[in-house]
């Protein structure tokens, strides 16, 4: 999770919403990324989607049942769904997203039982640190 936080900090430095993600298989980092929506002007350039793309390209496969994805904030509906489609084994996230979180906050994509894949979810890891990166970013924006 600390690597995901470092990615979030890189996003903040680039003017992006500070969310970072890291995909790990067998204790090895396969991919890491942060939000790139503003830079690329791409609504789908979320950290989670980017690590899935990078890992799939690197490994030559889109099914990632042996992967754990670490992300600093609860995934949105698009990303929670993409993680289902990639068949990841586990997701670890930092802070909840009360406005758009799709793993319990607003929706509960994985636990509703209607999809063909379920991944394990570990919420609240380094929650305070993850929230502080986001809050600090938005406080600076409001001061401008």
């Amino acid at each position: 999770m600390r690597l995901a936080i470092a990615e979030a900090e890189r996003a903040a430095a680039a003017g992006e919403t500070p969310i970072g993600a890291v995909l790990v298989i067998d204790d090895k980092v396969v991919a890491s990324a942060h939000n790139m929506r503003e830079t690329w002007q791409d609504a789908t350039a979320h950290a989670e989607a980017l690590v899935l793309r990078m890992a799939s390209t690197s490994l030559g496969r889109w099914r990632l049942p042996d992967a754990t994805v670490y992300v600093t904030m609860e995934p949105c509906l698009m990303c929670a769904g993409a993680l289902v489609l990639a068949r990841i084994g586990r997701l670890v996230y930092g802070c909840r997203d009360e406005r758009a979180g799709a793993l319990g906050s607003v929706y509960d994509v994985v636990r509703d039982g209607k999809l063909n894949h379920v991944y394990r979810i570990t919420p609240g890891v380094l929650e305070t640190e993850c929230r502080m990166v986001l809050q600090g970013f938005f406080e600076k924006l409001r001061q401008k």
Side-chain angles (χ1 to χ4, degrees):
M1 184 60 81
R2 295 210 184 278
L3 295 175
I5 292 170
E7 283 290 340
E9 290 169 343
R10 282 193 270 291
E16 295 282 352
T17 300
I19 298 172
V22 176
L23 188 143
V24 175
I25 296 176
D26 295 329
D27 295 324
K28 294 180 185 163
V29 174
V30 175
S32 61
H34 56 266
N35 277 11
M36 294 293 288
R37 292 187 315 171
E38 299 301 327
T39 303
W40 294 353
Q41 291 299 294
D42 179 352
T44 67
H46 292 203
E48 303 94 309
L50 297 178
V51 295
L52 290 176
R53 287 179 195 143
M54 294 165 67
S56 293
T57 298
S58 172
L59 298 169
R61 59 186 168 100
W62 60 268
R63 290 179 187 90
L64 302 168
D66 49 348
T68 298
V69 175
Y70 296 84
V71 63
T72 55
M73 188 166 78
E74 177 183 5
C76 69
L77 191 55
M78 176 186 73
C79 292
L83 294 163
V84 168
L85 295 174
R87 314 292 198 269
I88 68 153
R90 180 176 176 221
L91 174 84
V92 178
Y93 74 83
C95 60
R96 293 173 56 96
D97 182 354
E98 299 296 337
R99 293 182 179 183
L103 296 176
S105 292
V106 177
Y107 300 101
D108 205 342
V109 171
V110 172
R111 294 184 196 107
D112 81 357
K114 295 175 186 161
L115 299 176
N116 64 336
H117 178 72
V118 174
Y119 48 85
R120 291 175 292 136
I121 302 166
T122 305
V125 175
L126 298 179
E127 181 175 3
T128 301
E129 292 91 331
C130 292
R131 182 172 283 107
M132 287 174 57
V133 172
L134 282 159
Q135 287 175 339
F137 175 78
F138 287 111
E139 283 174 12
K140 286 180 184 174
L141 275 183
R142 282 189 294 275
Q143 291 172 0
K144 287 182 178 179

